[in-house]
Amino acid sequence: MTTIGKIHSIESCGTTDGPGIRFVIFTQGCPLRCLYCHNPDCRNITDGKLVSVDELIAEIQKYTSYIRFSGGGVTISGGEPLMQPQFVKEICKRCQEIGLHTALDTSGFVDLDTAKDVLKFVDLVLLDIKSFDPEIYRKVTSVSLEPTLKLARYLSEIHKPTWIRFVLVPNLTDARHNVTELAHFVSSLSNVEKVEVLPFHKMGEYKWEQLGYEYQLKDTPPPSPELVRNTIDIFRGYGLNVN
């Protein structure tokens, strides 16, 4: 029997979640409550659409010529994909069987043993480290930082290709010590291909309003070009490839 899971949506020609053109699957359910989340409708695992791996693979195969030509693949995002490990593992396994590159976009907030079984079938990890200061991390996400750091260290141990993602939020994650300590930590890892500094935006604010959630960052501006440049320079100062 084919594995079934919950998804929020799919994007057939994504260009921001890994190399090349990506077929992106947004899974349902997330244990984090990030203040700037642009997919708050992914939170609850009880919502979303039930879909089988067979159905997803059939849909993916419609786009394989574009995906392969661009050097792309399939990215599992969310939500937090590792809330549905068997479902995600089966998708990645089936994609690799038909020669497609697989990427996992994760917060890292997961039991490491659960993640290990999935990572066997993942070619690239997009690891979101939302802060290095534990207090700032908890303020941003409402959960602990430690599981994410534990996963990051394991990915380095097994030399799994990884991109680190950091969302730059003025007056929240932009503190110099926070960025510097994160850059120092990432530079200690052996597997990081690049760091993506993602400027904060409020594109998901309307979803919060529709869902009746309080959007606490409504008065927060996007980071200035100068702040973005300075943040990138800190990462580059530790020898990291940044864009």
Side-chain angles (χ1 to χ4, degrees):
M1 292 181 64
T2 184
T3 305
I4 293 174
K6 280 283 190 80
I7 68 168
H8 172 270
S9 57
I10 60 173
E11 182 179 359
S12 57
C13 293
T15 57
T16 60
D17 296 301
I21 294 174
R22 316 291 301 181
F23 188 100
V24 186
I25 301 167
F26 296 93
T27 59
Q28 190 70 29
C30 185
L32 279 65
R33 295 295 179 261
C34 297
L35 295 179
Y36 49 69
C37 179
H38 61 275
N39 283 330
D41 42 347
C42 283
R43 283 183 182 182
N44 299 322
I45 192 71
T46 53
D47 296 334
K49 174 187 175 184
L50 274 174
V51 64
S52 71
V53 174
D54 284 347
E55 290 175 291
L56 287 172
I57 295 299
E59 188 66 20
I60 289 166
Q61 287 180 317
K62 297 176 184 178
Y63 302 92
T64 52
S65 59
Y66 302 100
I67 291 170
R68 290 195 176 105
F69 180 77
S70 72
V74 176
T75 298
I76 318 296
S77 186
E80 172 48 65
L82 292 175
M83 283 189 72
Q84 301 183 69
Q86 288 303 120
F87 179 56
V88 172
K89 172 186 171 181
E90 188 63 23
I91 295 170
C92 292
K93 181 180 179 182
R94 294 279 297 277
C95 285
Q96 287 189 339
E97 287 172 354
I98 58 175
L100 293 179
H101 179 273
T102 59
L104 175 69
D105 183 7
T106 178
S107 69
F109 188 76
V110 64
D111 175 74
L112 184 55
D113 287 336
T114 298
K116 285 180 180 179
D117 202 34
V118 179
L119 291 169
K120 296 173 186 175
F121 303 97
V122 173
D123 297 307
L124 172 69
V125 176
L126 311 177
L127 181 61
D128 301 307
I129 305 184
K130 301 165 192 296
S131 168
F132 196 77
D133 182 311
E135 291 185 11
I136 296 175
Y137 191 91
R138 188 171 289 279
K139 183 176 180 180
V140 171
T141 67
S142 297
V143 300
S144 169
L145 169 63
E146 190 52 41
T148 297
L149 300 185
K150 191 173 181 180
L151 177 63
R153 295 185 187 102
Y154 175 73
L155 293 172
S156 180
E157 288 172 13
I158 65 172
H159 306 292
K160 181 69 69 176
T162 298
W163 295 2
I164 300 296
R165 292 176 146 184
F166 172 69
V167 179
L168 180 62
V169 187
N171 304 313
L172 183 59
T173 67
D174 64 335
R176 188 172 185 85
H177 80 278
N178 190 41
V179 178
T180 301
E181 290 171 13
L182 176 58
H184 180 262
F185 171 75
V186 174
S187 71
S188 74
L189 306 175
S190 64
N191 60 319
V192 175
E193 296 182 344
K194 69 175 179 177
V195 175
E196 295 183 313
V197 175
L198 307 176
F200 164 73
H201 62 73
K202 293 191 281 188
M203 290 174 59
E205 183 178 4
Y206 75 96
K207 292 184 181 180
W208 287 65
E209 294 172 352
Q210 290 176 348
L211 293 166
Y213 300 154
E214 180 188 1
Y215 191 72
Q216 297 180 33
L217 302 182
K218 59 184 177 182
D219 296 324
T220 301
S224 67
E226 181 182 14
L227 178 57
V228 174
R229 283 195 304 270
N230 290 343
T231 302
I232 288 173
D233 286 345
I234 291 172
F235 283 103
R236 286 180 175 163
Y238 281 85
L240 296 164
N241 176 32
V242 191
N243 67 357

